[in-house]
Amino acid sequence: MFTRRQILTTAAATPLVGAPAIAKAQSWFAGYPFALGVTSGDPAPDGFVIWTKLAPKPFEPHGGMPMVPLPVKWEVAGDDRFKIIVASGEATARPELGHSVHVEVAGLQPDRPYWYRFSLGSDQSARGRARTLPLASASPAALKFGVAGCQNYEDGLFTAFRHLAREEDIAFVYHYGDFIYEYKQRGPDYDKDSLPVDQVRHHIGQDCFDVGDYRLRYAQYLSDYDLQAARAQHTWFPTFDDHEVENNWVGDFDWKDVPAEVFRLRRQAGLQVWYEYMPVRAAMLPRNGIITNAYREARFGDLLSIDFLDTRSFRSDQPCDDGFKPYCPGIGDSKAQVISAEEESWLLRNLARKQTSWNCIAQQVMMMSLDRRRYDDEKEKIYNLDSWAGYDVPRDRLLARMRGLTNVVVLTGDEHQNFAGLLESQGKPVAVEFVSTSISSGGDGSDLRKGSDVMLKNNPELKFVNDQRGYLVCEITPDAWTTHFRVVDQVSVAGGSISTRASMTVARGEPSLQIA
Ligand code: FE
Ligand code: CA
């Protein structure tokens, strides 16, 4: 977290990534306006979005900004010393959007790194690195990318983000959401002797409800330099899950039965601030309180198509009041939906195109319908009703369309555990699902959570479980998809070390998993 002294001295400090700052006489502000860092996202073959947000005093109202629009200069270079400037311009940071800056840079070369930075008056931002995608007509021999999300600030340090920042040759990172958690500061946890134990860090403020609350929460998360490092070093495909608004919200429904028209106001605030802080295109600006274009696609030549889903905004309410519960008739509701009808037709169209070696569905909640019992004395099967397991009809409909494709890989978050397993339609495997753990949510964890052996025994399609923090690195060639489960040994204290807990390979043409 920033101290006042850090904020005052950041302006003169070496940038987070790259070349030393050019010494300038005077700042416009009492504090450094680029204290929340920079990032890039939603890459295309000819460009990407570059992002920053002016906040000289990140924890003060409006980040300490005057409520006027301000011009921010930006530069994109072909080299990390900014000798070859390939694009530059000026963007307006508006008070309506919390003085965030989203520049959609175009006209660049495919499949190569670029560097970017911003300036305002005499202040210059840290340097970020971004990468374009290859042309859709290209035939890349290989691709490596990251998968991360679920970063509860109170549960642990963001050490995994620093390790992710250092991963080499990462083309992009998919973020499956829970970028923030909306809760107020939690009380203590209790150890095995029922003694109180403090959280690793504390949220500032109460539960988030309005734009100011969410802005402060993102500012607090971005005061973490491990997160800033990963944001500056990589190019992201951000998506949101529940905690960007409220635990387990779907559609117009909030779990506390707040009237839909009232909940929509909170959802609008959460989604506006998510947009403000994410390196996404203007098409994803919330309109009438909802982001209609959060689901979207990307191509990595003829190697990979990715469809990023929005499994929250258009979902029907969780059956049986949500939770981990035995089967109830609502699970079989024939009108239930996880994604909208438009999103589903778009997804099915994309899956059927067969233009790439691999089809990836990058989404939020687990698609495997696992029996979640963890104790032998539990009589009835238990389902996670906030996942696809609570929505049998749309789930079966989607899996049926994967029959015969033999190249579908589903990437998921939300669970705060690593899982790998097979997705089945009518008893036959049709795809592989990798569920990525969390950056910090859930705390240190251990190799196996109590009862994981029962889960593995009860679910033959489930091949791997692990309860440590970390992220995924996926390495793809036309013939094989390998997922590395990267885990940190601890997040409760600084300096946690990274290792690969498991590497699992899928051969194209055969939805099965080999443990390397
Ligand atoms: Fe989470
Ligand atoms: Ca979640």
Side-chain angles (χ1 to χ4, degrees):
M1 194 184 304
F2 298 118
T3 61
R4 185 177 157 73
R5 186 182 156 78
Q6 274 174 324
I7 291 169
L8 290 172
T9 54
T10 312
T14 307
L16 179 71
V17 179
I22 299 158
K24 292 275 174 68
Q26 220 170 13
S27 172
W28 283 23
F29 303 104
Y32 176 54
F34 299 107
L36 298 178
V38 300
T39 189
S40 64
D42 273 18
D46 73 334
F48 35 70
V49 177
I50 56 172
W51 173 96
T52 193
K53 191 174 195 286
L54 304 178
K57 295 175 182 171
F59 299 160
E60 291 190 8
H62 310 295
M65 288 295 293
M67 299 306 276
V68 293
L70 284 170
V72 177
K73 289 196 168 64
W74 58 271
E75 290 177 305
V76 174
D79 67 305
D80 62 0
R81 297 281 143 176
F82 291 86
K83 296 250 191 319
I84 310 152
I85 304 294
V86 296
S88 61
E90 204 171 82
T92 305
R94 298 183 189 283
E96 290 87 345
L97 290 172
H99 291 99
S100 58
V101 179
H102 299 75
V103 181
E104 298 188 29
V105 183
L108 305 180
Q109 296 298 308
D111 199 18
R112 57 152 294 172
Y114 288 95
W115 289 263
Y116 60 91
R117 64 187 177 193
F118 299 89
S119 61
L120 177 64
S122 59
D123 286 313
Q124 190 170 80
S125 76
R127 180 185 68 175
R129 180 184 162 282
R131 203 181 163 89
T132 51
L133 298 179
L135 294 170
S137 59
S139 295
L143 160 67
K144 190 169 161 187
F145 70 93
V147 182
C150 284
Q151 51 210 53
N152 190 317
Y153 187 86
E154 296 204 307
D155 284 4
L157 305 176
F158 293 167
T159 313
F161 271 132
R162 178 148 311 259
H163 291 294
L164 177 58
R166 293 208 177 101
E167 296 280 353
E168 288 179 10
D169 305 319
I170 295 283
F172 56 81
V173 183
Y174 161 53
H175 195 289
Y176 46 79
D178 291 359
F179 192 96
I180 55 141
Y181 284 71
E182 80 284 11
Y183 304 119
K184 68 182 179 203
Q185 179 186 330
R186 264 204 329 270
D189 289 331
Y190 290 87
D191 71 9
K192 58 181 176 9
D193 303 316
S194 302
L195 298 174
V197 184
D198 201 2
Q199 309 306 331
V200 176
R201 304 188 280 192
H202 293 148
H203 280 153
I204 300 172
Q206 304 187 57
D207 290 342
C208 298
F209 279 88
D210 66 20
V211 165
D213 300 335
Y214 288 109
R215 282 176 178 163
L216 175 60
R217 187 56 52 83
Y218 279 81
Q220 185 182 14
Y221 277 50
L222 283 177
S223 72
D224 184 299
Y225 288 117
D226 293 337
L227 174 54
Q228 282 204 18
R231 296 244 296 178
Q233 188 63 20
H234 296 308
T235 300
W236 297 75
F237 282 110
T239 68
F240 54 82
D241 194 25
D242 52 335
H243 289 288
E244 283 82 354
V245 178
E246 186 198 25
N247 181 48
N248 284 17
W249 71 278
V250 290
D252 290 342
F253 304 100
D254 130 305
W255 59 279
K256 290 174 187 151
D257 295 325
V258 170
E261 65 273 24
V262 177
F263 172 65
R264 274 184 225 131
L265 300 173
R266 184 180 186 186
R267 185 184 67 182
Q268 174 169 342
L271 294 177
Q272 175 184 329
V273 178
W274 179 83
Y275 171 82
E276 288 178 3
Y277 276 91
M278 291 300 130
V280 294
R281 295 176 188 272
M284 287 170 73
L285 187 71
R287 285 177 175 80
N288 301 316
I290 199 154
I291 301 177
T292 50
N293 288 312
Y295 66 90
R296 59 203 194 276
E297 60 197 86
R299 273 281 290 275
F300 199 86
D302 64 2
L303 186 55
L304 176 75
S305 311
I306 309 191
D307 297 307
F308 301 96
L309 304 191
D310 172 357
T311 56
R312 289 283 164 195
S313 302
F314 310 106
R315 200 191 317 174
S316 44
D317 201 6
Q318 291 98 342
C320 323
D321 283 334
D322 203 358
F324 283 63
K325 288 181 181 161
Y327 188 88
C328 71
I331 295 177
D333 180 358
S334 64
K335 294 197 174 60
Q337 59 182 44
V338 177
I339 55 179
S340 71
E342 293 74 23
E343 189 176 359
E344 187 170 322
S345 351
W346 158 86
L347 176 61
L348 296 178
R349 218 167 36 238
N350 286 358
L351 288 178
R353 277 194 308 219
K354 298 186 178 166
Q355 292 172 331
T356 53
S357 299
W358 295 97
N359 264 311
C360 175
I361 302 178
Q363 50 108 46
Q364 294 79 33
V365 291
M366 198 196 277
M367 205 173 275
M368 285 183 283
S369 179
L370 299 179
D371 175 357
R372 305 303 294 253
R373 280 179 296 181
R374 292 164 58 201
Y375 304 96
D376 280 324
D377 61 354
E378 288 174 290
K379 294 280 174 286
E380 288 182 274
K381 280 191 179 187
I382 301 286
Y383 298 91
N384 175 3
L385 302 182
D386 183 48
S387 74
W388 288 82
Y391 300 79
D392 263 356
V393 174
R395 181 178 179 277
D396 290 348
R397 196 163 62 222
L398 176 56
L399 293 179
R401 297 295 285 267
M402 294 182 195
R403 274 187 239 145
L405 291 178
T406 72
N407 69 347
V408 181
V409 173
V410 177
L411 297 174
T412 303
D414 183 58
E415 292 278 348
H416 307 169
Q417 286 194 86
N418 286 307
F419 292 95
L422 304 178
L423 289 160
E424 297 177 340
S425 175
Q426 296 184 335
K428 290 215 170 59
V430 293
V432 170
E433 181 172 22
F434 294 110
V435 179
S436 175
T437 183
S438 56
I439 289 291
S440 61
S441 304
D444 285 338
S446 60
D447 188 47
L448 283 182
R449 197 176 289 185
K450 196 170 183 320
S452 296
D453 53 332
V454 177
M455 270 189 79
L456 285 161
K457 190 178 69 189
N458 288 338
N459 297 284
E461 72 270 43
L462 180 64
K463 307 299 180 189
F464 174 70
V465 190
N466 162 268
D467 185 24
Q468 287 168 288
R469 310 288 73 80
Y471 53 86
L472 306 183
V473 171
C474 301
E475 285 194 271
I476 304 173
T477 68
D479 300 320
W481 176 308
T482 301
T483 294
H484 305 285
F485 289 88
R486 303 279 280 155
V487 298
V488 282
D489 57 352
Q490 51 188 356
V491 295
S492 56
V493 295
S497 65
I498 191 86
S499 62
T500 300
R501 172 60 187 80
S503 295
M504 310 189 91
T505 298
V506 190
R508 189 163 66 92
E510 193 193 326
S512 68
L513 274 167
Q514 276 81 44
I515 302 178

